[in-house]
Every structure is written in structure tokens, then in C-alpha cells.
Amino acid sequence: MLLDASQSQLVLVDYQAKLMPAIFEAEAVTRNAVRLGQLAKLLKVPAWGTEENPSGLGPNLPEIRALCLRTLSKMQFSAVEEGLAEWLRTPTPAAPRGNARSLPKHLQKAVPAAEERNMIVIAGCEAHVCLLQTALDLIEDEFEVWVVTDACSSRTERNRDAAFDRLAGAGAELVTTEMVAFEWLRGCEHPAFREALALVR
């Protein structure tokens, strides 16, 4: 099972200014999160952010926030508890307007179904709290969840690794930034290959 850019969305969880200085390997984690956001933008994958208690922990780092379509402010550890799943679900197309009797049935156009993007690529901090609870809730909501391990961390390595073990046991796929990039591209003939390669190398 490979990631498909046309079916993917990216969620970047709580890369907040007051939190990141305490995070294990924060510099590398932030760098990979930015790469994920840049890849998503390049390959037209929608990217969303979350911020835990931003009045206390500050907003996301500006380089992360700039790559997200929207950022969800939350007080619950799981962003799903605060409406993230609704952002990720494809809106149901509106029914055609007008008088239903104005055209014979065979001439009325059906509303095409919107394309689902059920592959959720997720990364963030802290891995054992907000990332874990958000990812587990997304799995429960029947999304396919892919956790980008080299763009996730916690204040301690032990907590981070415990989160990865639990997520893998719950059915999440554990991947790296480069795995995401090359699966979204699928081959060196992709028109964005050179630009994407420059981001990950």
C-alpha cells in the first residue's frame, strides 16, 4: 500500500513557539515538517495545522503556519474532538438549484461526487499526547493514517518511541519524510520531481 498524492491530506500538529525549545531533536523535526508542508504545496496536497492552547503555548512557528490552508486552535489534546475530521472530509456537493420540473429527468445533470482524500499524513508534537490522540481518533473515524516519524517528537525520546509503538499497533503506517515524498511522486518522470528532490536532499 503506497501513498497517493491525489488521495492525501497533511496535518501538522502543534509546532508551537513556546513548546519547540523543549522538544527532543526539535531542529530536525521542524526542518522535516517544513519539508512536508513544501512538498504538499508543490504536489497540491491540502495541508492543515493545529495549535494547542495558543494563548499559553503561542502560535505555530511562522514557517509552519504559512504552509497550512487553515490552523485549528484547540484546547482538547485530540484535534478530532474540536472538529478536525470535518475539515478533512470532502463536503457533500450541493443539489442542483432551480425548478426540478424545468427539465426532463434524462436531461438533468447528476452532481458528480467529490473526490475523497482519506489518506491522512500526520506529524507533530508532542508525539505521545496531541499527535497520538489525534491520530487514534482519525483511525477510529476510518481515515488511513500515516505518521511521519522523523517530523514528530516529544520532550523525551522514550515518550516519542512509546507513541510510535502504540500507533503502529493501532494500525497507523509509520513513514519518513522521504518515503512520503517519493510515494507522492511515484517516479522520476513526475513533472515536479526535480523540485521535490531539491526539498528532501
Side-chain angles (χ1 to χ4, degrees), residues 141-153:
D141 278 2
E142 300 184 347
F143 288 98
E144 295 174 29
V145 175
W146 306 67
V147 177
V148 190
T149 56
D150 60 354
C152 296
S153 197

Side-chain angles (χ1 to χ4, degrees), residues 59-191:
N60 278 343
L61 299 170
E63 60 268 38
I64 298 285
R65 213 169 207 280
L67 293 165
C68 298
L69 294 171
R70 289 173 69 189
T71 298
L72 176 70
S73 294
K74 62 189 177 68
M75 295 300 285
Q76 300 292 317
F77 298 133
S78 170
V80 174
E81 293 286 331
E82 306 242 10
L84 178 66
E86 284 72 37
W87 288 17
L88 300 175
R89 296 242 184 254
T90 306
T92 306
R97 292 188 175 189
N99 186 342
R101 297 179 200 160
S102 60
L103 284 175
K105 198 164 207 156
H106 70 281
L107 294 178
Q108 293 175 15
K109 290 187 177 178
V111 178
E115 188 177 2
E116 290 291 329
R117 286 181 174 264
N118 279 336
M119 292 180 163
I120 308 303
V121 177
I122 188 169
C125 301
E126 286 193 63
H128 68 297
V129 186
C130 294
L131 175 89
L132 174 82
Q133 292 187 32
T134 299
L136 290 176
D137 278 350
L138 288 171
I139 292 168
E140 192 173 321
D141 278 2
E142 300 184 347
F143 288 98
E144 295 174 29
V145 175
W146 306 67
V147 177
V148 190
T149 56
D150 60 354
C152 296
S153 197
S154 296
R155 284 165 293 141
T156 68
E157 187 176 7
R158 179 173 291 183
N159 277 327
R160 181 201 64 185
D161 293 348
F164 294 158
D165 289 344
R166 189 164 170 203
L167 286 162
E173 295 285 337
L174 302 187
V175 294
T176 65
T177 301
E178 285 201 17
M179 290 166 75
V180 173
F182 290 114
E183 289 179 34
W184 277 349
L185 289 167
R186 291 295 174 93
C188 60
E189 292 181 328
H190 191 289

Side-chain angles (χ1 to χ4, degrees), residues 40-56:
K41 187 173 184 180
L42 179 65
L43 300 174
K44 297 180 173 48
V45 172
W48 313 94
T50 72
E51 294 171 345
E52 175 70 21
N53 183 18
S55 63

